[in-house]
Amino acid sequence: MDDLKKQILALSEVSGALEPSENERNKILKEVQQYANIFLNNLPTTKAYSSEKAKKEAFSITSEVKPLQKLLEIYNSEVAAKGIHPASAGHLGYIPGGGIYSSALADYLVDITNEYAGLSFASPGAVAMEHELLDWMKSLFGFPESAVGNLTSGGSIANMIGLTSARDQHKIKGAKIEKSVVYLSPQLHHSCLKALRIIGLEDIIIRHLQLDSNSKIIPEDFSEKLQKDKENNLKPFLLIASAGTTDTGAVDPLKELGEIAKKYNLWYHIDAAYGGFFILSEQRKKLFDGIEMADSLAVDPHKSLFLPFGTGAVLVKDKEAVFHSHHHSANYMQDAHAEVSRVDPADVSPELTKHFRALRLWLPLQLHGIAPFTACLEEKLLLTRYFREKIQEQGFKVGPEPDLSVTYFWWPQDENEDEFNKSLLREIHKDGTVFLSSTLIEGKFVIRLAVLSFRTKIETIDRAVGVLVEAVRKLS
Ligand SMILES: Cc1ncc(COP(=O)(O)O)c(C=O)c1O
């Protein structure tokens, strides 16, 4: 055997560890499955939050080979047991995560076949599936078939793609930037503001619109500010509304705002990352009237469709506007571009190679149908109402009736109310049975409850009320 061949065979023996045999696969899969089952079975009694920090050294990379059992122990103690536990029913802070089991199975398959989901030439099936899901969303939100879309990593990138398209359709660049105006709510999610900076619009004029007592944009204020800016020779070009704000779950008056935006030829972007799929609920559908008027829309299946983190979506009506920044060609892409496809995901996103996200949404929708998703959303709405009733009975004060499943509340005090409520939240975090977060509403410190985990049930809410009452008793 010549030397070269010997070297190759020797290396092949070592690299063979990356391709376990069927027996080895079965063995490690069983260990992972056992871990997953214990994790899921224990969830009802595990805490929703631990303030303990992870030990970085537990993850150290060395040349030592470790058994899977040992690695699962590290995973359990240093990852799963620390911080907020998104899989827990008791995660009621920020915007809770999902993580339905069938999506995990889809991800397993996706990683095994490792489909290249960025280009139709590479994986016509993966791309067709993504298109089908986007078509479903188009019909849900009243977008025309001609709209384009993308399954993104989350709401932030979805918002960024929408806002980039707005910028490009209106050709906002150079000296025009400082004269261009964007209208938005002070309650808008910060990912939109971040996106404006990332896409070079840091110097744009931002008009914060007035809100009513339910934290919704007042359309008349938008109209007045817009007129004034036009009189002053500025260039109003973009309105961003929310269908479900993070702080209070408010849905802006989408139709009235849309009508004004259209009249003055503004790009209309709606951030529906949290609230969008509540459109499936018959009780709440009406709130979304006007969403079909948006030029671009961000929604997050990893929020209101209960998927594991890593799945957002954007829809944009003007294909050319999206293509302007996202479609690109290169010599090494010539084979892919020779293929006549509808729209490649890579044409609508900063990503080229991407995770094949479609399966983690398609499989659950096919396996369970849409009804359990709708029921789950309606259940969350009712649980929010139930929580508000229960804590008011206990003496808490609550914010206005929410549109969706986020509400805020506080314990009233004659003096040092904010300080008392901060201590209350610290107690809740120390206890960890449930996880809640806080915000400021018109400068006032309030505690938030966001019901969005598919695992949150009536017992969870009763537990949360119990923990709150006990914390007040302890502090009083
Ligand atoms: C209303 C809203 N928009 C956008 C985002 C950002 O989404 P992501 O965290 O998926 O990037 C969030 C996140 O909570 C949100 O609540």
Side-chain angles (χ1 to χ4, degrees):
M1 218 187 304
D2 66 22
D3 201 39
L4 178 62
K5 207 165 163 190
K6 257 199 221 153
Q7 278 183 50
I8 292 172
L9 292 178
L11 289 171
S12 170
E13 213 175 304
V14 181
S15 66
L18 302 181
E19 187 69 285
S21 67
E22 185 175 341
N23 277 346
E24 287 164 331
R25 289 201 299 272
N26 286 339
K27 182 175 169 291
I28 52 181
L29 189 57
K30 202 163 155 206
E31 287 178 43
V32 170
Q33 203 183 7
Q34 266 170 1
Y35 173 79
N37 278 332
I38 293 171
F39 177 87
L40 291 174
N41 294 341
N42 287 343
L43 261 184
T45 51
T46 35
K47 300 228 162 190
Y49 177 68
S50 155
S51 60
E52 244 188 284
K53 300 281 169 264
K55 294 181 208 76
K56 184 173 171 289
E57 57 285 4
F59 303 112
S60 66
I61 312 286
T62 64
S63 51
E64 187 197 345
V65 170
K66 300 175 188 101
L68 182 59
Q69 270 311 325
K70 169 97 189 122
L71 300 174
L72 289 173
E73 277 165 35
I74 296 173
Y75 183 80
N76 196 48
S77 67
E78 299 307 312
V79 182
K82 308 252 160 101
I84 304 169
H85 304 166
S88 162
H91 179 10
L92 302 163
Y94 302 112
I95 300 291
I100 52 178
Y101 191 71
S102 46
S103 278
L105 299 182
D107 276 359
Y108 174 72
L109 286 177
V110 159
D111 289 0
I112 294 288
T113 62
N114 201 22
E115 293 296 324
Y116 192 93
L119 298 168
S120 173
F121 171 73
S123 184
V127 173
M129 191 186 283
E130 176 160 342
H131 281 152
E132 186 54 34
L133 289 165
L134 293 166
D135 285 350
W136 173 65
M137 291 182 206
K138 284 181 217 166
S139 67
L140 210 53
F141 296 107
F143 269 51
E145 261 179 49
S146 56
V148 292
N150 196 261
L151 290 183
T152 63
S153 58
S156 300
I157 299 297
N159 279 325
M160 193 170 82
I161 294 171
L163 299 180
T164 306
S165 312
R167 179 199 65 187
D168 293 347
Q169 195 205 54
H170 283 255
K171 301 187 172 45
I172 310 295
K173 52 184 171 180
K176 222 166 152 185
I177 294 177
E178 290 181 0
K179 293 208 143 235
S180 300
V181 192
V182 50
Y183 301 85
L184 47 84
S185 156
Q187 289 278 326
L188 180 70
H189 192 264
H190 74 273
S191 59
C192 291
L193 300 165
K194 195 164 138 180
L196 288 172
R197 276 192 235 149
I198 294 172
I199 66 172
L201 298 185
E202 182 175 358
D203 295 329
I204 208 156
I205 301 165
I206 293 182
R207 294 271 179 258
H208 285 111
L209 301 172
Q210 268 180 23
L211 306 183
D212 65 15
S213 55
N214 289 311
S215 310
K216 296 168 189 258
I217 294 175
I218 300 174
E220 294 74 24
D221 183 57
F222 169 42
S223 199
E224 280 163 26
K225 288 198 163 88
L226 196 155
Q227 303 271 9
K228 212 155 152 202
D229 286 334
K230 280 183 95 65
E231 280 159 26
N232 289 328
N233 285 325
L234 296 174
K235 188 183 171 355
F237 96 99
L238 171 63
L239 166 70
I240 313 179
S242 307
T245 57
T246 312
D247 261 355
T248 68
V251 180
D252 285 322
L254 303 178
K255 195 157 191 254
E256 284 120 295
L257 292 172
E259 278 161 2
I260 304 167
K262 294 292 135 187
K263 184 167 161 201
Y264 292 96
N265 192 29
L266 266 66
W267 183 283
Y268 187 23
H269 177 78
I270 299 179
D271 177 359
Y274 151 62
F277 288 103
F278 279 98
I279 201 171
L280 287 165
S281 152
E282 276 307 319
Q283 316 166 23
R284 291 298 193 277
K285 220 181 192 61
K286 195 94 195 83
L287 279 173
F288 294 87
D289 276 1
I291 203 163
E292 70 288 349
M293 297 171 86
D295 294 292
S296 50
L297 174 72
V299 286
D300 254 359
H302 71 193
K303 293 187 175 70
S304 39
L305 281 182
F306 319 111
L307 258 56
F309 292 138
T311 320
V314 64
L315 299 176
V316 186
K317 283 186 185 152
D318 182 347
K319 177 178 156 193
E320 295 316 314
V322 194
F323 270 41
H324 183 84
S325 283
H326 298 101
H327 172 76
H328 240 281
S329 206
N331 292 344
Y332 45 80
M333 300 289 288
Q334 62 188 2
D335 305 334
H337 286 151
E339 177 92 353
V340 182
S341 70
R342 214 156 66 141
V343 171
D344 277 329
D347 290 327
V348 191
S349 159
E351 291 180 304
L352 175 56
T353 305
K354 68 185 248 174
H355 180 70
F356 173 22
R357 299 179 183 113
L359 195 68
R360 48 165 42 197
L361 177 53
W362 183 83
L363 190 77
L365 286 176
Q366 301 289 348
L367 205 56
H368 314 302
I370 295 171
F373 290 90
T374 307
C376 203
L377 289 165
E378 300 205 323
E379 184 190 16
K380 305 305 134 197
L381 293 167
L382 297 184
L383 286 174
T384 311
R385 220 168 87 194
Y386 178 77
F387 173 81
R388 285 168 58 88
E389 283 175 16
K390 288 282 156 196
I391 50 161
Q392 285 181 91
E393 283 168 15
Q394 298 293 336
F396 282 87
K397 296 279 177 210
V398 293
E401 183 85 39
D403 285 333
L404 302 175
S405 66
V406 179
T407 189
Y408 64 89
F409 61 94
W410 66 97
W411 182 259
Q413 290 277 290
D414 290 337
E415 280 174 20
N416 299 328
E417 195 170 73
D418 278 11
E419 284 315 310
F420 185 89
N421 282 284
K422 280 181 198 169
S423 309
L424 191 58
L425 190 64
R426 276 196 294 274
E427 279 300 315
I428 306 295
H429 287 176
K430 226 190 293 167
D431 175 85
T433 307
V434 293
F435 178 79
L436 298 167
S437 58
S438 68
T439 190
L440 296 174
I441 300 290
E442 289 169 7
K444 176 180 172 52
F445 181 92
V446 293
I447 306 177
R448 274 174 83 255
L449 171 106
V451 190
L452 202 66
S453 163
F454 67 103
R455 291 198 175 102
T456 300
K457 299 284 165 188
I458 200 158
E459 308 81 69
T460 329
I461 299 297
D462 286 336
R463 213 177 308 137
V465 174
V467 169
L468 279 160
V469 169
E470 175 57 23
V472 168
R473 196 194 56 75
K474 219 164 144 185
L475 293 174
S476 297

